[in-house]
Amino acid sequence: MDLKEARYILAIARHKSIGKAAESLFISQPSLSKYLKNLEQQLGAPLFSRLEQGYVPTYMGERYLYYAEQIAAFGQEWDQEYEDITRRAHGRLNIAVPIMLGSTLLQPTLMEFHRIYPHVTVNIMEEVSFVAEQTLKNTSIDLTIYNVHTFPKLLEYQVIRREEIVLILPESHPLKCEAQKKEGFSYPWLDLKKLSHENFILLYPDQNTGGIARDLFARYGIDPTALLHTRNSQMSIKLAMDGMGAAFAPASYFHYMAESRADRPGCYSIGEEPVSIMTIAACRPGRYMPKHVKDYIELLKAYALPFHTPQSGSERGTETDRLP
């Protein structure tokens, strides 16, 4: 098994389709189909069952894919290290990121990165929902950038920023006049108990902000109406600003959405102490990190600095950089 062969078969398994796999590999469908047929003849057994739902690995195929993934990973490592060794200006940067974080953090930094590395191609794979698993499943991903409430154990990572989770209400909400300045909080503070009868627009509990909302409600002993659940942060924030219900979001998301509005929606601190979330750049353990990837992480940190909030004493020492 060589690197080309491994990448071809992995593409078929990933897309479950000869046509889509060929498109991703930039080769013709007949060529890939012939390649697979010849390989299966050499092995004396099929690698895939051709079913209605697409190409599904046989037992032989599952074992083949196990070794193909390792070969492809080493091939990717070599390609990147070779580019560094020879100091070539060309390269690529593959990033998995939630859509809203891509808009608020990546988009403002990409022109500066392009200025420094004009011949590095950036491929951004945006998802509405949780993306951390992409780092472990997809060997082509260089960085997965996402928000966490607790740090991952199976990934190497660097913290880009720590920011406050805020409560969002429309400009005309009656609780606006009850907000107060409170030491240690970045925004006017509201007692969450006062919103026990409020309608809420919530992310799902398996998402970081959705899980934080669930924990806050439990801590305050309240059970407000969840008028709508969504995985789309942008939708939840806009609906809250429009007055459909309250919502929680990272402060940077709020400011991004508020910039384009004529009104002035409310952004409030909540909790007995500031509720924070971390944005991290993560990768597979032991992955080689090219210079342009390291430089991009530093660009993200510099851009995120205005939103970075100090960590509390009990959390200090948990954010050590863990990327090579």
Side-chain angles (χ1 to χ4, degrees):
M1 185 191 305
D2 60 23
L3 180 58
K4 174 183 173 182
E5 181 181 307
R7 286 174 172 167
Y8 279 15
I9 304 307
L10 283 168
I12 296 172
R14 185 177 302 117
H15 294 282
K16 298 184 179 180
S17 160
I18 289 288
K20 291 181 179 179
E23 184 178 346
S24 72
L25 294 165
F26 303 101
I27 63 174
S28 69
Q29 182 174 336
S31 296
L32 184 58
S33 182
K34 184 178 180 181
Y35 192 94
L36 174 61
K37 182 178 179 181
N38 290 339
L39 176 59
E40 289 180 327
Q41 287 178 347
Q42 293 174 22
L43 295 172
L47 293 175
F48 297 95
S49 296
R50 282 69 167 171
L51 304 175
E52 288 186 5
Q53 61 266 41
Y55 281 62
V56 178
T58 61
Y59 178 72
M60 171 77 79
E62 289 176 359
R63 298 309 302 154
Y64 181 98
L65 289 165
Y66 171 78
Y67 292 102
E69 286 174 353
Q70 297 182 62
I71 289 174
F74 281 120
Q76 180 86 0
E77 299 287 312
W78 164 245
D79 289 345
Q80 293 179 333
E81 188 162 359
Y82 175 75
E83 288 172 1
D84 266 9
I85 292 172
T86 55
R87 296 182 181 179
R88 292 173 58 186
H90 295 75
R92 64 177 176 269
L93 172 57
N94 295 336
I95 303 172
V97 64
I99 290 176
M100 189 66 174
L101 195 54
S103 298
T104 59
L105 181 62
L106 268 62
Q107 181 269 325
T109 60
L110 288 173
M111 275 304 299
E112 177 65 12
F113 180 74
H114 176 66
R115 186 188 66 78
I116 300 170
Y117 291 100
H119 302 296
V120 171
T121 299
V122 180
N123 300 309
I124 300 175
M125 282 133 276
E126 296 172 295
E127 303 285 348
V128 172
S129 57
F130 192 58
V131 299
E133 60 186 21
Q134 298 290 339
T135 298
L136 293 173
K137 288 185 177 180
N138 191 337
T139 59
S140 68
I141 297 295
D142 297 304
L143 291 176
T144 297
I145 299 172
Y146 66 110
N147 292 326
V148 298
H149 192 47
T150 57
F151 294 111
K153 296 180 180 179
L154 299 178
L155 302 173
E156 293 180 342
Y157 61 86
Q158 283 192 36
V159 174
I160 302 299
R161 68 180 170 202
R162 172 187 295 270
E163 64 176 320
E164 195 171 336
I165 294 291
V166 296
L167 174 74
I168 299 168
L169 296 172
E171 182 180 25
S172 60
H173 199 283
L175 284 177
K176 177 180 180 179
C177 61
E178 297 191 31
Q180 55 187 281
K181 291 183 178 180
K182 198 169 183 180
E183 186 178 355
F185 292 86
S186 302
Y187 302 93
W189 183 88
L190 273 176
D191 184 351
L192 202 56
K193 285 186 177 179
K194 294 181 182 290
L195 287 96
S196 59
H197 299 294
E198 190 78 21
N199 291 328
F200 273 82
I201 314 299
L202 298 175
L203 301 186
Y204 284 93
D206 63 334
Q207 295 174 269
N208 283 290
T209 305
I212 288 171
R214 179 194 58 192
D215 294 344
L216 280 169
F217 294 156
R219 194 178 309 158
Y220 275 80
I222 61 176
D223 187 22
T225 299
L227 195 60
L228 185 147
H229 280 96
T230 177
R231 291 194 178 278
N232 189 322
S233 296
Q234 187 169 354
M235 180 188 295
S236 69
I237 295 168
K238 185 178 187 306
L239 290 175
M241 289 178 171
D242 290 343
M244 183 175 174
F248 297 105
S252 62
Y253 287 17
F254 167 81
H255 290 291
Y256 173 79
M257 296 288 293
E259 282 178 358
S260 60
R261 296 182 67 98
D263 60 347
R264 301 181 64 183
C267 171
Y268 303 97
S269 293
I270 36 86
E272 296 172 0
E273 56 184 44
V275 180
S276 63
I277 198 168
M278 286 76 68
T279 302
I280 65 170
C283 72
R284 292 163 63 98
R287 185 181 184 89
Y288 175 73
M289 193 62 57
K291 185 177 186 299
H292 65 263
V293 178
K294 293 179 181 178
D295 287 348
Y296 187 58
I297 292 173
E298 294 307 312
L299 274 178
L300 292 174
K301 287 181 178 179
Y303 176 78
L305 193 59
F307 289 104
H308 187 83
T309 56
Q311 61 207 58
S312 66
S314 61
E315 294 167 328
R316 217 164 262 129
T318 64
E319 295 187 5
T320 53
D321 289 355
R322 294 181 58 188
L323 281 177

